[in-house]
């Protein structure tokens, strides 16, 4: 399920390679080169695309993984998918009892979707492999160091980055692979990840990555300050409520004691009036005053 077409680039010198391959549109995920990901595939055309690759006798056959612009679409056309995707190999495909397929795929190289040439029974497209332009290695090393430093800060600020990922990144000496690996582990919007995938230049990819990580760090620091402020306000409110309840309890207790003391004094005075043997009119006046 592959046709190779060799084209001349606009400069007439560097040939570009076009392939006709099955396309697997993805919802809510951007796959980068060197990235191994599990996929759960349920759409008929996507299952057929995996089957076409798995059944092929050509070891070089690939499926193209490309992200949809709108994840709700069930049958995306070329206008509904991003123009840059990744050619990938299918490492494993397992059919589930409910008819869906669980696949393990590994991204290989960037490709550009040129045109859709078939919609059914599976999606076929003509794609062009995107080569990596030459770059200044010294500048690349400097950018790699900055990306690693920024990403460590990003990881420490609370994003779910496994420690082994940071160890893995330290061992990567290829700037393009480092950029793609870091980009794959960022918790950013799909459009931002796609923009990183779109970058053909390694240096531009690293620079954009620095900007993206920096923005995320700024955002996380603001979020942390907001959480701290809210937590302090909640603690103060809880403390104020607790003190208020304590004061009410103390006041109630004091009020009960005052009432008991007043009652005891009233009873004592009444008994003394009774024992005094006062004339009727004097006793009446005294009892009236006592009631007041």
């Amino acid at each position: 399920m592959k046709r190779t077409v060799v084209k001349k680039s606009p400069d007439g010198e560097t040939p570009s390679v076009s392939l006709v391959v099955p396309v697997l549109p993805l919802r809510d995920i951007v796959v980068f080169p060197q990235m191994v990901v599990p996929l759960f595939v349920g759409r008929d055309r996507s299952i057929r695309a995996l089957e076409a690759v798995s059944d092929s006798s050509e070891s070089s056959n690939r499926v193209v993984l490309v992200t949809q612009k709108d994840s709700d679409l069930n049958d995306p056309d070329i206008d509904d998918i991003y123009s840059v995707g990744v050619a990938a190999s299918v490492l494993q495909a397992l059919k589930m009892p409910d008819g869906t397929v669980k696949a393990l795929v590994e991204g290989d190289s960037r490709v550009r979707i040129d045109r859709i040439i078939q919609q059914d029974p599976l999606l076929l497209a003509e794609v062009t492999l995107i080569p990596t332009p030459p770059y200044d290695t010294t500048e690349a090393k400097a950018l790699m160091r900055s990306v690693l430093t920024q990403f460590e800060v990003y990881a420490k600020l609370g994003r779910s980055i496994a420690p082994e990922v940071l160890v893995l990144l330290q061992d990567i000496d290829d700037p393009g692979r480092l950029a793609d690996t870091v980009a794959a582990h960022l918790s950013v919007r799909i459009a931002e990840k796609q923009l990183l995938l779109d970058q053909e230049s390694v240096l531009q990819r690293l620079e954009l990555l620095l900007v993206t990580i920096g923005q995320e760090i700024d955002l996380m620091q603001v979020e942390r300050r907001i959480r701290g402020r809210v937590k302090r306000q909640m603690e103060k409110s809880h403390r104020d409520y607790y003190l208020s309840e304590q004061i009410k309890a103390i006041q109630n207790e004091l009020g009960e004691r005052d009432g008991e003391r007043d009652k005891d004094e009233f009873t004592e005075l009444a008994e003394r009036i009774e024992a005094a043997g006062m004339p009727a009119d004097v006793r009446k006046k005294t009892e009236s005053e006592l009631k007041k």
Side-chain angles (χ1 to χ4, degrees), residues 252-291:
N252 289 337
E253 186 175 346
L254 290 174
E256 289 174 1
R257 290 181 180 178
D258 290 342
E260 291 174 359
R261 186 167 61 248
D262 292 344
K263 183 177 180 182
D264 292 341
E265 291 176 353
F266 180 87
T267 302
E268 184 182 350
L269 288 173
E271 290 174 351
R272 290 171 65 180
I273 292 170
E274 180 71 25
M278 299 178 183
D281 56 338
V282 175
R283 180 177 176 177
K284 184 176 180 182
K285 178 67 175 176
T286 303
E287 287 176 349
S288 175
E289 290 296 323
L290 177 63
K291 290 178 180 179

Side-chain angles (χ1 to χ4, degrees), residues 32 43 53 56 67 124 138 177:
F32 289 85
R43 291 180 282 189
V53 176
S56 174
T67 306
L124 284 178
T138 302
R177 184 178 178 187

Side-chain angles (χ1 to χ4, degrees), residues 218-284:
D218 290 343
L219 183 61
M220 286 188 289
Q221 289 174 336
V222 171
E223 289 175 345
R224 175 172 287 191
R225 288 198 297 271
I226 292 173
R227 286 197 300 269
R229 188 163 64 244
V230 170
K231 182 180 179 182
R232 288 192 298 272
Q233 290 173 348
M234 290 180 65
E235 289 174 348
K236 183 178 183 301
S237 297
H238 180 74
R239 186 170 60 252
D240 291 346
Y241 174 78
Y242 178 73
L243 290 174
S244 175
E245 291 300 306
Q246 279 190 320
I247 291 171
K248 287 180 181 178
I250 292 171
Q251 288 174 337
N252 289 337
E253 186 175 346
L254 290 174
E256 289 174 1
R257 290 181 180 178
D258 290 342
E260 291 174 359
R261 186 167 61 248
D262 292 344
K263 183 177 180 182
D264 292 341
E265 291 176 353
F266 180 87
T267 302
E268 184 182 350
L269 288 173
E271 290 174 351
R272 290 171 65 180
I273 292 170
E274 180 71 25
M278 299 178 183
D281 56 338
V282 175
R283 180 177 176 177
K284 184 176 180 182

Side-chain angles (χ1 to χ4, degrees), residues 6-219:
V6 178
K7 299 178 180 179
K8 283 189 177 182
S9 62
D11 59 17
E13 296 179 359
T14 306
S16 60
V17 179
S18 291
L19 305 174
V20 174
V21 291
V23 175
L24 184 59
L26 303 176
R27 306 179 197 258
D28 299 323
I29 184 174
V30 176
V31 177
F32 289 85
Q34 315 303 321
M35 182 178 173
V36 178
V37 294
L39 299 176
F40 293 90
V41 181
R43 291 180 282 189
D44 289 339
R45 293 193 307 182
S46 297
I47 292 175
R48 290 181 182 274
L50 288 175
E51 290 174 344
V53 176
S54 301
D55 296 341
S56 174
S57 59
E58 298 183 53
S59 60
S60 60
N61 253 5
R62 295 286 186 271
V63 62
V64 168
L65 307 175
V66 61
T67 306
Q68 296 181 199
K69 297 175 183 177
D70 183 353
S71 61
D72 293 331
L73 290 177
N74 204 45
D75 296 310
D77 204 338
I78 190 166
D79 294 331
D80 306 316
I81 57 179
Y82 287 104
S83 60
V84 176
V86 171
S89 56
V90 180
L91 304 179
Q92 187 181 55
L94 179 63
K95 193 123 184 184
M96 308 301 287
D98 60 359
T100 61
V101 174
K102 181 181 179 181
L104 190 66
V105 298
E106 180 178 14
D108 181 11
S109 55
R110 283 170 168 77
V111 295
R112 179 172 290 102
I113 313 293
D114 296 324
R115 63 190 181 98
I116 301 294
I117 64 173
Q118 179 181 307
Q119 290 275 1
D120 294 304
L122 71 159
L123 196 61
L124 284 178
E126 182 178 314
V127 303
T128 302
L129 294 176
I130 301 175
T132 301
Y135 54 87
D136 183 282
T137 55
T138 302
E139 186 174 354
K141 286 181 180 179
L143 286 168
M144 288 173 68
R145 185 177 301 176
S146 297
V147 166
L148 283 173
T149 301
Q150 285 281 75
F151 189 69
E152 287 176 0
V153 175
Y154 172 86
K156 289 177 181 177
L157 281 173
R159 296 306 186 191
S160 301
I161 305 296
E164 52 267 27
V165 172
L166 297 175
V167 175
L168 169 67
L169 293 174
Q170 295 291 341
D171 294 332
I172 297 176
D173 55 9
D174 178 78
R177 184 178 178 187
L178 177 72
D180 290 336
T181 305
V182 170
H185 286 89
L186 289 179
S187 298
V188 295
R189 293 181 300 114
I190 290 296
E192 292 179 88
K193 283 199 172 187
Q194 183 64 43
L195 190 58
L196 288 164
L197 183 66
D198 290 344
Q199 304 304 310
E200 298 179 19
S201 166
V202 170
L203 298 183
Q204 290 179 1
R205 202 180 310 159
L206 288 167
E207 289 174 356
L208 180 58
L209 197 55
L210 273 176
V211 172
T212 303
I213 298 174
Q215 291 173 341
E216 286 299 301
I217 289 174
D218 290 343
L219 183 61

